[in-house]
Amino acid sequence: MKALVLGGGSLKGSWQVGAIQAVLETGFKPEMVYGISAGALNATFIAHEAGKQYIESQSINWDTVNKKLIKFWLENINEPSDIGILKSKLTMGYETMLSRFDGLIDTTPLDSLMRKTIDMSVLRRSPIRLKVGAVNINTGKMHYADPLEQHYLDYLRASSSLPIIMPAIQIGGDHKKVFMDGGLREVVPLRKAVEDGADEIYAIATHPKHRQMDDFNYRGLFNLIERIKDITVNQFENSDIEWAENYNKSMFGVAGYNLTRKIKLTVIRPSESLQIDLTNFNKNDIKEMIKKGFEHAYTQLMG
């Protein structure tokens, strides 16, 4: 089984879109797609577009899937307000005092966009298997949701909900089922793909293996949160990829996995840190990220 595994990275998901273009153009046709955070959004769009084509013609044109994904980003993610709206200090103070803190940003715009874009009846009929990861912040456990689950779109929203910056997402009105960014546990969901039977995997991560840490204003709240997130995400991402790279090397198997089935793994990740600001970006920034992702991945794949 061929799997496309898409890691998290907030707006760095636009770089990932360019890398996806290179992967598809060089002939890889995924049967399974996995995603965390921004990767969950990209994975869902891919499976949905493939499903739409399959329902209409019983076939999938991956070049069209790729073009539609790029178009989606360029037409819909052009400025910070497309992702969410920063709450006023008064609102944040009020929510905090009443123990009702619900993130620094109201992400209704992004949620509304995905609900408008994704038709669940189409997604459930897609021939491309799909799973997105989110973490239950009550139990700390990872959950991979698939489109057959009733509240899939809520899990999708939770998967890309950055801690503190964005709200925790309650699933089905159950206060015990409150989920956030899957990157709290895994950033590149390679283990799940292997567990589900993938034997050929293209994984696209959005952080370099060795991240350069430039000086920054650590007294700026968003700057500090972003730096903490980048440090932890980078470490988790490295661990996820190292696990997969060592999978075939272990003589005795890895925690119950059957090594009679080896995997062919291709990992694409930037060679240097990607610079794009969640609170200050425009369409040209997104376009440049997509271009860089394509050029980097295409060079690697054709080299």
Side-chain angles (χ1 to χ4, degrees), residues 69-88:
L69 177 60
I70 293 173
K71 182 179 179 182
F72 172 78
W73 274 82
L74 291 178
E75 290 186 351
N76 295 288
I77 312 295
N78 293 165
E79 57 186 8
S81 62
D82 293 330
I83 302 293
I85 301 169
L86 180 63
K87 295 178 181 177
S88 68

Side-chain angles (χ1 to χ4, degrees), residues 40-181:
L41 298 175
N42 286 334
T44 299
F45 188 96
I46 288 169
H48 183 267
E49 179 58 32
K52 188 187 298 184
Q53 290 185 27
Y54 191 80
I55 290 169
E56 293 173 354
S57 63
Q58 297 298 296
S59 64
I60 301 172
N61 183 323
W62 286 104
D63 182 57
T64 300
V65 172
N66 162 52
K67 288 177 179 177
K68 289 288 184 69
L69 177 60
I70 293 173
K71 182 179 179 182
F72 172 78
W73 274 82
L74 291 178
E75 290 186 351
N76 295 288
I77 312 295
N78 293 165
E79 57 186 8
S81 62
D82 293 330
I83 302 293
I85 301 169
L86 180 63
K87 295 178 181 177
S88 68
K89 293 179 181 178
L90 179 62
T91 298
M92 286 190 283
Y94 177 78
E95 290 179 345
T96 302
M97 283 191 300
L98 295 181
S99 297
R100 294 178 181 175
F101 180 74
D102 201 26
L104 303 176
I105 293 176
D106 177 359
T107 56
T108 299
L110 181 60
D111 182 47
S112 298
L113 173 63
M114 294 309 296
R115 291 182 186 276
K116 180 179 71 174
T117 302
I118 302 301
D119 181 336
M120 285 305 302
S121 66
V122 170
L123 194 61
R124 287 170 178 149
R125 294 167 64 188
S126 176
I128 306 304
R129 292 168 58 182
L130 168 68
K131 289 185 179 178
V132 301
V135 172
N136 185 324
I137 60 172
N138 280 314
T139 66
K141 293 182 178 180
M142 191 79 170
H143 176 71
Y144 281 96
D146 68 61
L148 294 180
E149 296 188 40
Q150 180 182 359
H151 301 289
Y152 176 81
L153 289 177
D154 290 328
Y155 283 113
L156 174 61
R157 185 183 181 192
S159 181
S160 56
S161 191
L162 302 174
I164 302 177
I165 294 177
M166 297 176 179
I169 307 301
Q170 191 176 102
I171 307 295
D174 187 343
H175 71 278
K176 294 183 179 180
K177 294 182 178 180
V178 181
F179 286 77
M180 294 199 80
D181 187 358

